[in-house]
Amino acid sequence: MHLQSLTPSSSHYYFIKPISHFPTPTSRSFRIQCAYRYDPITYPNAVGPSRADWQSSCAILSSQSQLLSQDDPSSPASDHLVSSVNGHNSTIENLNLVPITNLSDSTALKPQPKPLTITDLAPAPMHGSNLRVAYQGVPGAYSEAAAGKAYPNCDAIPCDQFEVAFQSVELWIADRAVLPVENSLGGSIHRNYDLLLRHKLHIVGEVQLPVHHCLLALPGVRKEYLTRVISHPQALAQCEHTLTKLGLNVTREAVDDTAGAAEFVAINNLRDTAAIASARAAELYGLDILANGIQDDSGNVTRFVMLAREPIIPRTDRPFKTSIVFAHEKGTSVLFKVLSAFAFRNISLTKIESRPHRSHPIRVVDGADAGTAKHFEYLFYVDFEASMAEPRAQNALAEVQEFTSFLRVLGSYPMDMTPWSPSRED
């Protein structure tokens, strides 16, 4: 059975249809639905155009449907009329019928879920609070201290390798990564430069951390009892002269990181072995500090970069630094032209680093009379003091691109302008 009343002026119509899927199929229940109608057809028995008119019509249809239900003696409405629509009072003020746009669309009345965005998956808290920051090493490493300086109150996530730190950000396990790229004494950390090119993360900041080395051993151990000192290779090199001055006749053994050396001594209860690490590592692993500040040069600073999945928006209201990597195929004369693009615009370079081009390690040059020559191919990493928001930086890179076969901006980010002083015990 199908009853309907239409209002051509408001383009709505109402109909009654049986609901056969309710738990009591024997009771002939009916439901009223309202929908838009877009064809302007005039019907002779149409009701007035006002909302009250079509709500009244709907209520009348509801009453008629209840009368029809009296045909079934088992129906609850057989002994009296129920003036309700879908279980609600059918007075005009309480109907509040909701029109739907398409009767064939069963989900039209249901609220649709909001599409997920990147911020829904891993929102980035402000000011480093609860930010997940990956670093290489174990708790007590200098990289952990750099992560805390870059993002105060962050959740530091230790990683056993640099590669794992990169992957943790790419896989949304961490929000940021803080990794060293150069040291004032040991030079560049080439592994991380290679990983910057291999992965698609962006440099979003930098932080410089003074390095303060300590000689650590188990409680009660004296320096003259030591036969071995373990630490990271750069830490051993940075403390070579001081260890000699201390009169230690010890062998030097390299391990993955400084804090890992302290942990190794503590876990294995090595009373003949000392570790070179930070004072925080001594606190964490219950070691004594036998000698403080044993680095050969007090100006020992490590530069770390902060990595993220998305770049930041460059600005011009504070000093910015931009890092790029490029390759060329026509010899050193092209390198001169590339560097001239920055010099012509008075852009200062803070670093230039060459790395072997792994995809094309050797370039063969054929000479008509001189025979064949082989040259190594290189990638060049350059840092310069300018923001990508500045026209001079944009124009410089546009000119660089004319002379290079490959150019990539690793990041444009704020410079670390915090005051620096020689390494000392806090």
Side-chain angles (χ1 to χ4, degrees):
M1 177 188 57
H2 191 98
L3 301 176
Q4 75 177 22
S5 175
L6 301 100
T7 62
S9 59
S10 58
S11 298
H12 292 76
Y13 71 89
Y14 306 89
F15 68 94
I16 302 173
K17 67 176 182 178
I19 302 177
S20 59
H21 56 275
F22 280 105
T24 58
T26 56
S27 60
R28 296 170 59 188
S29 301
F30 296 87
R31 180 176 61 186
I32 295 180
Q33 290 185 335
C34 172
Y36 291 109
R37 184 179 183 90
Y38 297 99
D39 49 334
I41 303 176
T42 303
Y43 296 88
N45 298 325
V47 295
S50 66
R51 175 180 175 86
D53 290 334
W54 58 260
Q55 285 184 326
S56 299
S57 175
C58 193
I60 293 172
L61 293 175
S62 175
S63 301
Q64 293 175 354
S65 67
Q66 298 297 337
L67 287 173
L68 292 172
S69 66
Q70 295 183 17
D71 296 339
D72 187 355
S74 62
S75 173
S78 58
D79 41 354
H80 66 279
L81 295 178
V82 180
S83 58
S84 63
V85 177
N86 289 342
H88 300 283
N89 192 310
S90 62
T91 60
I92 294 177
E93 295 77 14
N94 297 329
L95 278 177
N96 293 326
L97 300 177
V98 179
I100 59 176
T101 59
N102 190 352
L103 292 176
S104 62
D105 185 4
S106 61
T107 63
L109 291 176
K110 300 178 181 178
Q112 299 302 306
K114 181 182 178 182
L116 290 177
T117 63
I118 292 178
T119 55
D120 294 326
L121 296 176
M126 300 298 292
H127 309 300
S129 177
N130 297 325
L131 202 67
R132 299 166 299 179
V133 180
Y135 69 93
Q136 188 275 330
V138 298
Y142 293 107
S143 294
E144 183 194 36
K149 182 179 179 180
Y151 299 103
N153 303 318
C154 69
D155 294 332
I157 302 176
C159 303
D160 59 349
Q161 300 177 25
F162 292 129
E163 176 85 22
V164 175
F166 276 85
Q167 292 179 352
S168 67
V169 178
E170 292 179 328
L171 298 176
W172 296 82
I173 299 173
D175 303 304
R176 300 286 189 274
V178 175
L179 299 172
V181 291
E182 60 180 330
N183 178 264
S184 58
L185 300 181
S188 299
I189 301 175
H190 297 139
R191 174 61 174 165
N192 283 337
Y193 276 100
D194 294 339
L195 291 174
L196 282 172
L197 184 62
R198 180 183 305 175
H199 296 268
K200 301 302 182 182
L201 300 182
H202 302 268
I203 303 177
V204 297
E206 67 172 1
V207 60
Q208 297 181 1
L209 183 74
V211 178
H212 187 89
H213 290 311
C214 301
L215 186 66
L216 312 180
L218 290 172
V221 173
R222 301 172 59 180
K223 288 184 292 185
E224 50 267 26
Y225 297 157
L226 299 176
T227 61
R228 181 175 60 162
V229 173
I230 61 175
S231 191
H232 188 273
Q234 283 202 5
L236 292 173
Q238 293 166 7
C239 302
E240 180 66 27
H241 296 300
T242 303
L243 292 177
T244 303
K245 291 179 182 179
L246 291 175
L248 299 179
N249 185 20
V250 294
T251 60
R252 281 81 160 167
E253 294 185 12
V255 294
D256 290 337
D257 59 88
T258 55
E263 183 185 35
F264 182 78
V265 171
I267 291 178
N268 295 280
N269 196 30
L270 302 177
R271 304 193 66 84
D272 62 340
T273 303
I276 298 177
S278 64
R280 171 168 166 76
E283 178 183 354
L284 289 176
Y285 302 111
L287 302 179
D288 286 347
I289 299 177
L290 302 183
N292 209 339
I294 62 174
Q295 61 275 1
D296 297 336
D297 192 334
S298 60
N300 186 2
V301 180
T302 299
R303 175 173 169 252
F304 295 79
V305 293
M306 298 131 70
L307 305 176
R309 289 178 292 272
E310 299 294 333
I312 63 173
I313 300 176
R315 298 162 52 181
T316 58
D317 58 346
R318 59 173 298 180
F320 259 63
K321 181 183 292 185
T322 301
S323 299
I324 64 173
V325 56
F326 64 87
H328 61 80
E329 299 176 351
K330 299 180 181 179
T332 56
S333 61
V334 174
L335 178 60
F336 172 78
K337 295 177 182 178
V338 168
L339 299 182
S340 298
F342 298 102
F344 177 75
R345 294 168 176 83
N346 197 29
I347 298 177
S348 300
L349 302 184
T350 60
K351 181 179 179 62
I352 180 169
E353 178 81 17
S354 63
R355 293 291 297 152
H357 198 317
R358 294 181 180 272
S359 300
H360 307 283
I362 296 178
R363 176 168 52 92
V364 178
V365 179
D366 293 325
D369 300 324
T372 301
K374 295 181 179 180
H375 301 280
F376 290 107
E377 287 288 352
Y378 292 97
L379 292 168
F380 293 91
Y381 294 82
V382 173
D383 295 343
F384 59 88
E385 293 182 349
S387 169
M388 284 304 299
E390 300 179 55
R392 60 172 184 158
Q394 299 171 11
N395 295 333
L397 291 191
E399 182 176 341
V400 168
Q401 195 169 16
E402 297 178 2
F403 305 111
T404 58
S405 60
F406 166 76
L407 173 63
R408 176 182 163 191
V409 177
L410 298 173
S412 188
Y413 48 91
M415 296 176 58
D416 184 6
M417 304 298 293
T418 55
W420 177 85
S421 59
S423 177
R424 64 182 186 275
E425 178 66 9
D426 294 333

